[in-house]
Protein backbone atom coordinates (compact mmCIF):
# COMPACT_ATOMS: atom_id res chain seq x y z
CA UNK A 1 0.00 0.00 0.00
CA UNK A 2 1.20 3.58 -0.59
CA UNK A 3 2.42 5.49 2.43
CA UNK A 4 -0.36 7.89 3.50
CA UNK A 5 0.44 11.00 5.55
CA UNK A 6 -2.64 13.13 6.26
CA UNK A 7 -4.01 14.23 2.86
CA UNK A 8 -0.89 13.30 0.96
CA UNK A 9 0.62 10.02 -0.12
CA UNK A 10 3.99 8.66 -1.15
CA UNK A 11 5.16 5.97 -3.48
CA UNK A 12 8.60 4.92 -4.74
CA UNK A 13 9.71 3.82 -8.19
CA UNK A 14 13.02 2.76 -9.64
CA UNK A 15 14.33 4.55 -12.74
CA UNK A 16 17.66 5.21 -14.40
CA UNK A 17 20.63 5.87 -12.08
CA UNK A 18 22.17 9.34 -12.17
CA UNK A 19 25.67 9.77 -13.58
CA UNK A 20 28.14 11.04 -12.69
CA UNK A 21 35.77 48.95 10.17
CA UNK A 22 37.75 51.87 10.25
CA UNK A 23 39.87 52.67 13.36
CA UNK A 24 38.54 55.17 15.95
CA UNK A 25 39.87 58.73 16.14
CA UNK A 26 42.77 58.44 18.56
CA UNK A 27 42.98 62.26 18.95
CA UNK A 28 39.45 62.54 20.33
CA UNK A 29 38.60 59.37 22.18
CA UNK A 30 35.87 61.03 24.27
CA UNK A 31 33.70 62.12 21.35
CA UNK A 32 34.75 59.31 18.99
CA UNK A 33 35.56 56.30 21.16
CA UNK A 34 37.06 53.20 19.63
CA UNK A 35 34.30 50.63 19.20
CA UNK A 36 34.32 47.90 21.81
CA UNK A 37 35.32 44.47 20.60
CA UNK A 38 32.28 42.36 19.80
CA UNK A 39 31.80 39.11 21.63
CA UNK A 40 32.91 36.04 19.65
CA UNK A 41 30.29 34.58 17.34
CA UNK A 42 28.74 31.22 18.15
CA UNK A 43 28.09 28.90 15.20
CA UNK A 44 25.54 26.14 14.75
CA UNK A 45 26.04 23.95 11.68
CA UNK A 46 23.25 21.50 10.88
CA UNK A 47 23.80 18.81 8.28
CA UNK A 48 20.91 16.89 6.80
CA UNK A 49 22.72 13.83 5.49
CA UNK A 50 21.44 13.03 2.00
CA UNK A 51 19.14 16.08 2.01
CA UNK A 52 18.50 17.61 -1.41
CA UNK A 53 15.85 20.07 -2.56
CA UNK A 54 13.16 17.42 -2.88
CA UNK A 55 13.74 16.28 0.68
CA UNK A 56 13.43 19.90 1.85
CA UNK A 57 10.32 20.33 -0.31
CA UNK A 58 8.70 17.30 1.30
CA UNK A 59 8.60 19.17 4.64
CA UNK A 60 6.28 21.74 3.04
CA UNK A 61 3.88 19.04 1.88
CA UNK A 62 3.84 16.77 4.91
CA UNK A 63 4.03 19.17 7.87
CA UNK A 64 0.91 20.51 9.60
CA UNK A 65 2.41 24.00 9.89
CA UNK A 66 4.87 26.07 7.86
CA UNK A 67 8.22 24.34 7.53
CA UNK A 68 11.09 25.82 9.54
CA UNK A 69 13.12 25.88 6.32
CA UNK A 70 10.91 28.80 5.29
CA UNK A 71 12.10 30.90 8.27
CA UNK A 72 15.57 31.47 6.78
CA UNK A 73 16.29 34.85 5.13
CA UNK A 74 19.27 33.60 3.11
CA UNK A 75 19.58 30.54 0.87
CA UNK A 76 22.26 29.20 -1.43
CA UNK A 77 23.34 26.05 -3.23
CA UNK A 78 26.42 23.92 -2.63
CA UNK A 79 28.29 21.73 -5.15
CA UNK A 80 29.34 18.47 -3.56
CA UNK A 81 31.84 16.62 -5.78
CA UNK A 82 35.05 15.43 -4.12
CA UNK A 83 38.59 15.04 -5.51
CA UNK A 84 38.30 11.36 -6.39
CA UNK A 85 34.67 11.10 -7.55
CA UNK A 86 32.05 13.34 -9.08
CA UNK A 87 29.57 11.70 -6.70
CA UNK A 88 30.83 12.18 -3.15
CA UNK A 89 30.26 10.32 0.09
CA UNK A 90 29.56 11.61 3.63
CA UNK A 91 33.21 11.39 4.71
CA UNK A 92 34.59 13.58 1.94
CA UNK A 93 31.54 15.83 2.09
CA UNK A 94 31.83 16.40 5.83
CA UNK A 95 35.61 16.86 5.61
CA UNK A 96 35.10 19.62 3.03
CA UNK A 97 32.67 21.32 5.42
CA UNK A 98 34.90 20.85 8.46
CA UNK A 99 38.31 21.74 6.97
CA UNK A 100 37.64 23.90 3.90
CA UNK A 101 39.49 21.47 1.65
CA UNK A 102 38.05 18.92 -0.72
CA UNK A 103 39.39 15.40 -0.44
CA UNK A 104 38.80 11.82 -1.59
CA UNK A 105 35.92 9.50 -0.78
CA UNK A 106 36.13 7.90 2.68
CA UNK A 107 38.68 10.47 3.97
CA UNK A 108 38.13 11.70 7.53
CA UNK A 109 39.80 15.04 8.35
CA UNK A 110 42.70 14.48 5.97
CA UNK A 111 43.69 15.99 2.62
CA UNK A 112 43.78 14.22 -0.72
CA UNK A 113 47.39 13.32 0.25
CA UNK A 114 46.20 11.91 3.61
CA UNK A 115 47.72 14.82 5.57
CA UNK A 116 45.75 15.75 8.70
CA UNK A 117 43.84 19.02 8.28
CA UNK A 118 42.77 21.31 11.14
CA UNK A 119 38.98 21.31 11.49
CA UNK A 120 36.74 24.22 12.38
CA UNK A 121 36.01 22.52 15.70
CA UNK A 122 39.74 22.34 16.50
CA UNK A 123 40.48 25.88 15.29
CA UNK A 124 37.67 27.40 17.35
CA UNK A 125 38.54 25.20 20.33
CA UNK A 126 41.98 26.86 20.28
CA UNK A 127 40.18 30.24 20.56
CA UNK A 128 38.45 29.14 23.79
CA UNK A 129 35.20 28.06 22.14
CA UNK A 130 33.12 25.27 23.58
CA UNK A 131 32.37 22.53 21.06
CA UNK A 132 29.65 19.99 20.44
CA UNK A 133 28.61 17.17 18.13
CA UNK A 134 25.22 15.46 17.82
CA UNK A 135 24.40 12.57 15.51
CA UNK A 136 21.88 9.77 15.15
CA UNK A 137 24.63 7.41 14.06
CA UNK A 138 27.79 6.37 15.87
CA UNK A 139 29.74 9.44 16.99
CA UNK A 140 32.56 7.76 15.07
CA UNK A 141 30.50 7.75 11.86
CA UNK A 142 31.65 9.74 8.84
CA UNK A 143 29.92 13.08 9.41
CA UNK A 144 30.63 13.70 13.11
CA UNK A 145 34.06 12.04 12.85
CA UNK A 146 35.18 14.51 10.17
CA UNK A 147 35.00 17.33 12.74
CA UNK A 148 37.46 15.83 15.25
CA UNK A 149 39.27 12.82 13.80
CA UNK A 150 42.04 12.36 11.22
CA UNK A 151 42.16 8.92 9.60
CA UNK A 152 42.56 7.64 6.06
CA UNK A 153 39.32 5.67 5.94
CA UNK A 154 35.89 6.24 7.44
CA UNK A 155 35.60 2.57 8.35
CA UNK A 156 38.37 2.89 10.98
CA UNK A 157 35.86 3.37 13.81
CA UNK A 158 38.16 2.25 16.62
CA UNK A 159 40.93 4.63 15.49
CA UNK A 160 38.36 7.42 15.24
CA UNK A 161 37.20 6.66 18.80
CA UNK A 162 40.82 7.05 19.95
CA UNK A 163 40.85 10.51 18.37
CA UNK A 164 37.80 11.42 20.45
CA UNK A 165 39.97 10.86 23.54
CA UNK A 166 42.23 13.70 22.33
CA UNK A 167 39.62 16.02 20.82
CA UNK A 168 38.17 17.38 24.10
CA UNK A 169 34.72 17.85 22.57
CA UNK A 170 32.68 19.48 25.33
CA UNK A 171 29.30 17.93 24.51
CA UNK A 172 28.62 14.96 22.28
CA UNK A 173 25.55 12.81 21.90
CA UNK A 174 24.82 9.89 19.63
CA UNK A 175 25.61 6.21 19.40
CA UNK A 176 28.63 3.99 18.78
CA UNK A 177 29.18 2.69 22.33
CA UNK A 178 30.71 -0.55 21.06
CA UNK A 179 33.63 1.29 19.44
CA UNK A 180 34.56 2.56 22.92
CA UNK A 181 33.92 -0.58 24.98
CA UNK A 182 34.08 -3.65 22.70
CA UNK A 183 37.39 -3.00 21.02
CA UNK A 184 39.93 -5.30 19.46
CA UNK A 185 42.68 -3.67 21.55
CA UNK A 186 40.76 -4.40 24.74
CA UNK A 187 40.74 -0.75 25.83
CA UNK A 188 37.69 0.74 27.55
CA UNK A 189 37.54 4.26 26.15
CA UNK A 190 34.19 4.94 27.82
CA UNK A 191 35.88 4.53 31.20
CA UNK A 192 38.83 6.47 29.80
CA UNK A 193 36.61 9.45 29.03
CA UNK A 194 35.30 9.34 32.61
CA UNK A 195 38.90 9.35 33.83
CA UNK A 196 39.42 12.50 31.75
CA UNK A 197 36.62 14.18 33.70
CA UNK A 198 33.66 13.60 31.39
CA UNK A 199 30.17 13.04 32.66
CA UNK A 200 29.29 9.95 30.64
CA UNK A 201 25.93 8.21 30.20
CA UNK A 202 24.85 5.30 28.01
CA UNK A 203 21.22 5.18 29.18
CA UNK A 204 19.85 8.67 28.55
CA UNK A 205 20.34 12.43 28.76
CA UNK A 206 18.39 13.11 31.96
CA UNK A 207 21.47 14.69 33.57
CA UNK A 208 23.80 17.19 31.90
CA UNK A 209 26.60 18.53 34.10
CA UNK A 210 27.44 22.12 33.09
CA UNK A 211 30.65 22.04 35.14
CA UNK A 212 32.36 19.36 33.01
CA UNK A 213 32.38 17.87 29.54
CA UNK A 214 29.49 15.54 28.71
CA UNK A 215 29.30 12.47 26.51
CA UNK A 216 26.22 10.40 25.68
CA UNK A 217 26.57 7.12 23.81
CA UNK A 218 23.05 5.76 23.75
CA UNK A 219 23.23 2.74 21.46
CA UNK A 220 25.88 0.18 20.50
CA UNK A 221 26.09 1.33 16.89
CA UNK A 222 23.23 3.58 15.74
CA UNK A 223 20.05 5.14 17.10
CA UNK A 224 16.72 3.79 15.82
CA UNK A 225 15.06 5.56 12.91
CA UNK A 226 11.82 7.52 13.39
CA UNK A 227 9.86 4.66 11.86
CA UNK A 228 11.45 2.38 14.48
CA UNK A 229 10.22 4.64 17.29
CA UNK A 230 13.22 6.87 18.03
CA UNK A 231 11.14 9.70 19.45
CA UNK A 232 12.51 13.22 19.93
CA UNK A 233 16.17 12.48 20.60
CA UNK A 234 17.50 14.90 17.96
CA UNK A 235 15.57 18.07 19.00
CA UNK A 236 15.98 17.20 22.69
CA UNK A 237 19.74 16.61 22.40
CA UNK A 238 20.08 19.88 20.49
CA UNK A 239 18.13 21.78 23.17
CA UNK A 240 20.27 20.21 25.93
CA UNK A 241 23.50 21.10 24.09
CA UNK A 242 22.38 24.72 23.64
CA UNK A 243 21.39 24.89 27.32
CA UNK A 244 24.80 23.49 28.28
CA UNK A 245 26.61 26.12 26.20
CA UNK A 246 24.43 28.91 27.61
CA UNK A 247 25.28 27.92 31.19
CA UNK A 248 28.98 27.93 30.29
CA UNK A 249 28.64 31.48 28.92
CA UNK A 250 31.26 30.90 26.23
CA UNK A 251 31.10 31.09 22.43
CA UNK A 252 30.53 27.68 20.90
CA UNK A 253 30.55 25.60 17.75
CA UNK A 254 27.88 22.91 17.47
CA UNK A 255 27.35 20.44 14.63
CA UNK A 256 24.03 18.59 14.49
CA UNK A 257 23.47 15.80 11.96
CA UNK A 258 20.11 14.54 10.75
CA UNK A 259 21.63 11.24 9.68
CA UNK A 260 18.76 9.13 8.48
CA UNK A 261 17.40 11.30 5.69
CA UNK A 262 20.22 9.59 3.82
CA UNK A 263 19.18 6.16 4.99
CA UNK A 264 15.64 6.74 3.74
CA UNK A 265 17.07 7.47 0.30
CA UNK A 266 19.31 4.41 0.31
CA UNK A 267 16.34 2.24 1.26
CA UNK A 268 14.09 4.03 -1.28
CA UNK A 269 11.69 4.31 1.66
CA UNK A 270 9.40 7.38 1.33
CA UNK A 271 7.93 7.07 4.83
CA UNK A 272 11.36 6.93 6.46
CA UNK A 273 12.67 9.83 4.40
CA UNK A 274 9.70 12.07 5.17
CA UNK A 275 9.65 11.29 8.88
CA UNK A 276 13.40 11.98 9.15
CA UNK A 277 13.03 15.29 7.27
CA UNK A 278 10.20 16.32 9.60
CA UNK A 279 12.32 15.39 12.63
CA UNK A 280 15.21 17.46 11.24
CA UNK A 281 12.78 20.33 10.54
CA UNK A 282 11.64 20.17 14.19
CA UNK A 283 15.27 20.28 15.33
CA UNK A 284 15.93 23.27 13.06
CA UNK A 285 13.07 25.00 14.90
CA UNK A 286 14.92 24.52 18.20
CA UNK A 287 18.05 26.12 16.71
CA UNK A 288 16.12 28.98 15.08
CA UNK A 289 14.37 29.81 18.35
CA UNK A 290 17.77 29.91 20.06
CA UNK A 291 19.17 32.30 17.44
CA UNK A 292 16.13 34.57 17.86
CA UNK A 293 16.98 35.02 21.55
CA UNK A 294 20.78 34.90 21.11
CA UNK A 295 21.49 37.21 18.16
CA UNK A 296 25.27 36.75 18.38
CA UNK A 297 24.83 33.36 16.72
CA UNK A 298 25.13 32.12 13.13
CA UNK A 299 23.02 29.15 12.04
CA UNK A 300 23.73 27.28 8.80
CA UNK A 301 21.73 24.31 7.56
CA UNK A 302 23.02 22.29 4.62
CA UNK A 303 23.73 18.75 3.41
CA UNK A 304 26.76 16.69 2.51
CA UNK A 305 25.09 15.31 -0.62
CA UNK A 306 21.70 14.15 -1.89
CA UNK A 307 20.61 10.52 -1.73
CA UNK A 308 18.11 8.69 -3.90
CA UNK A 309 17.48 11.25 -6.63
CA UNK A 310 14.22 11.96 -4.82
CA UNK A 311 11.41 13.88 -6.48
CA UNK A 312 8.01 15.05 -5.27
CA UNK A 313 5.48 14.31 -8.01
CA UNK A 314 1.95 13.32 -8.89
CA UNK A 315 0.05 10.74 -6.91
CA UNK A 316 -2.17 8.29 -8.72
CA UNK A 317 -5.04 6.21 -7.39
CA UNK A 318 -5.23 2.80 -9.05
CA UNK A 319 -8.54 1.06 -9.64
CA UNK A 320 -8.23 -2.43 -8.16
CA UNK A 321 -10.45 -3.96 -10.84
CA UNK A 322 -9.32 -2.27 -14.03
CA UNK A 323 -5.84 -1.13 -13.07
CA UNK A 324 -6.66 2.33 -14.41
CA UNK A 325 -4.63 5.12 -12.82
CA UNK A 326 -6.24 8.46 -11.94
CA UNK A 327 -4.31 11.45 -10.62
CA UNK A 328 -5.41 12.64 -7.18
CA UNK A 329 -4.98 16.45 -7.16
CA UNK A 330 -4.85 16.59 -3.35
CA UNK A 331 -1.99 14.13 -2.86
CA UNK A 332 1.68 13.91 -3.78
CA UNK A 333 4.12 11.05 -4.13
CA UNK A 334 7.86 10.74 -3.53
CA UNK A 335 9.80 8.91 -6.21
CA UNK A 336 13.41 7.71 -6.21
CA UNK A 337 15.60 7.09 -9.26
CA UNK A 338 18.43 5.33 -7.38
CA UNK A 339 19.39 3.92 -4.01
CA UNK A 340 22.75 5.73 -4.14
CA UNK A 341 24.10 9.27 -3.68
CA UNK A 342 23.61 11.75 -6.52
CA UNK A 343 25.51 14.79 -7.77
CA UNK A 344 22.69 17.31 -7.47
CA UNK A 345 23.47 20.60 -5.74
CA UNK A 346 22.29 20.75 -2.14
CA UNK A 347 20.62 23.67 -0.34
CA UNK A 348 22.29 26.02 2.15
CA UNK A 349 20.15 28.00 4.60
CA UNK A 350 21.57 30.75 6.84
CA UNK A 351 20.39 33.16 9.52
CA UNK A 352 22.03 35.26 12.23
CA UNK A 353 25.22 37.29 12.08
CA UNK A 354 27.16 36.64 8.87
CA UNK A 355 24.18 35.12 7.08
CA UNK A 356 24.77 37.29 3.97
CA UNK A 357 27.94 35.29 3.20
CA UNK A 358 25.97 32.19 2.30
CA UNK A 359 23.91 33.25 -0.73
CA UNK A 360 24.86 32.09 -4.20
CA UNK A 361 26.20 28.87 -5.68
CA UNK A 362 29.60 27.63 -4.51
CA UNK A 363 31.67 24.56 -3.71
CA UNK A 364 30.93 22.78 -0.42
CA UNK A 365 34.37 23.53 1.05
CA UNK A 366 33.58 27.28 0.82
CA UNK A 367 31.08 26.83 3.68
CA UNK A 368 34.04 26.34 6.06
CA UNK A 369 35.69 29.54 4.85
CA UNK A 370 32.42 31.47 5.12
CA UNK A 371 31.94 30.29 8.70
CA UNK A 372 35.53 31.23 9.62
CA UNK A 373 35.10 34.62 7.95
CA UNK A 374 31.89 35.22 9.89
CA UNK A 375 33.67 34.29 13.13
CA UNK A 376 36.52 36.68 12.32
CA UNK A 377 34.05 39.51 11.60
CA UNK A 378 32.56 39.42 15.10
Amino acid sequence: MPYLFKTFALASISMLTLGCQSPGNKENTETNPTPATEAPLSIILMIGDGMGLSQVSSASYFKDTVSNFERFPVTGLSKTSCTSHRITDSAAGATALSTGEKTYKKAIGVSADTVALPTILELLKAKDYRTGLISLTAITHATPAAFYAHVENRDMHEAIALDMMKAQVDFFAGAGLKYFTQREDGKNLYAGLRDLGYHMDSTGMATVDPAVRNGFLLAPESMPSKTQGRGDFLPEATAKALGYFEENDKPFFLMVEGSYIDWGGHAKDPEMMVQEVLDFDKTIGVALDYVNTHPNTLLIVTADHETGGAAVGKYYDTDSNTGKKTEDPDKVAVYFITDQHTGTHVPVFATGKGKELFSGIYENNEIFHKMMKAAAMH
Side-chain angles (χ1 to χ4, degrees), residues 137-344:
T137 59
I139 206 69
T140 58
H141 205 264
T143 301
F147 286 84
Y148 69 89
H150 308 276
V151 299
E152 296 179 11
N153 191 298
R154 61 182 289 174
D155 297 328
M156 301 166 65
H157 287 273
E158 294 195 2
I160 292 169
L162 281 172
D163 278 358
M164 176 58 86
M165 302 294 291
K166 299 176 290 185
Q168 299 183 341
V169 178
D170 295 285
F171 183 105
F172 65 86
L177 179 63
K178 74 175 189 179
Y179 302 117
F180 292 80
T181 60
Q182 300 171 28
R183 300 170 53 84
E184 291 184 3
D185 60 13
K187 295 179 179 180
N188 186 331
L189 303 188
Y190 186 91
L193 285 165
R194 277 185 168 161
D195 291 341
L196 291 173
Y198 274 82
H199 163 72
M200 297 296 297
D201 202 326
S202 61
T203 62
M205 296 185 297
T207 302
V208 176
D209 189 341
V212 298
R213 297 187 177 105
N214 290 255
F216 302 93
L217 296 172
L218 304 181
E221 190 165 4
S222 295
M223 303 290 287
S225 67
K226 286 295 288 185
T227 54
Q228 293 170 330
R230 183 176 69 240
D232 286 335
F233 165 81
L234 198 62
E236 289 177 356
T238 300
K240 285 184 178 290
L242 294 173
Y244 169 81
F245 294 130
E246 186 166 22
E247 287 205 48
N248 275 264
D249 195 27
K250 292 276 190 178
F252 64 86
F253 172 81
L254 172 65
M255 191 286 294
V256 180
E257 182 192 22
S259 317
Y260 294 163
I261 300 169
D262 171 69
W263 291 29
H266 281 303
K268 301 172 77 172
D269 184 333
E271 178 181 5
M272 182 181 185
M273 189 204 86
V274 169
Q275 289 201 24
E276 294 297 338
V277 170
L278 293 177
D279 186 57
F280 193 56
D281 182 277
K282 184 175 183 177
T283 308
I284 290 170
V286 172
L288 282 166
D289 290 347
Y290 181 88
V291 175
N292 284 344
T293 57
H294 299 77
N296 196 38
T297 310
L298 169 65
L299 169 62
I300 308 101
V301 178
T302 190
D304 48 359
H305 54 75
E306 194 275 347
T307 304
V312 179
K314 295 178 179 181
Y315 176 81
Y316 293 93
D317 291 307
T318 303
D319 188 293
S320 58
N321 296 318
T322 66
K324 181 180 179 180
K325 294 183 176 182
T326 304
E327 181 185 353
D328 188 326
D330 296 320
K331 299 178 182 179
V332 296
V334 167
Y335 302 91
F336 297 102
I337 64 170
T338 179
D339 62 358
Q340 297 298 307
H341 300 171
T342 72
T344 186

Side-chain angles (χ1 to χ4, degrees), residues 24-54:
N25 186 342
K26 294 182 180 180
E27 297 180 358
N28 192 354
T29 56
E30 292 184 0
T31 57
N32 295 290
T34 301
T37 302
E38 288 191 66
L41 180 73
S42 292
I43 300 174
I44 306 169
L45 173 62
M46 302 184 66
I47 302 173
D49 199 318
M51 185 183 74
L53 291 172
S54 289

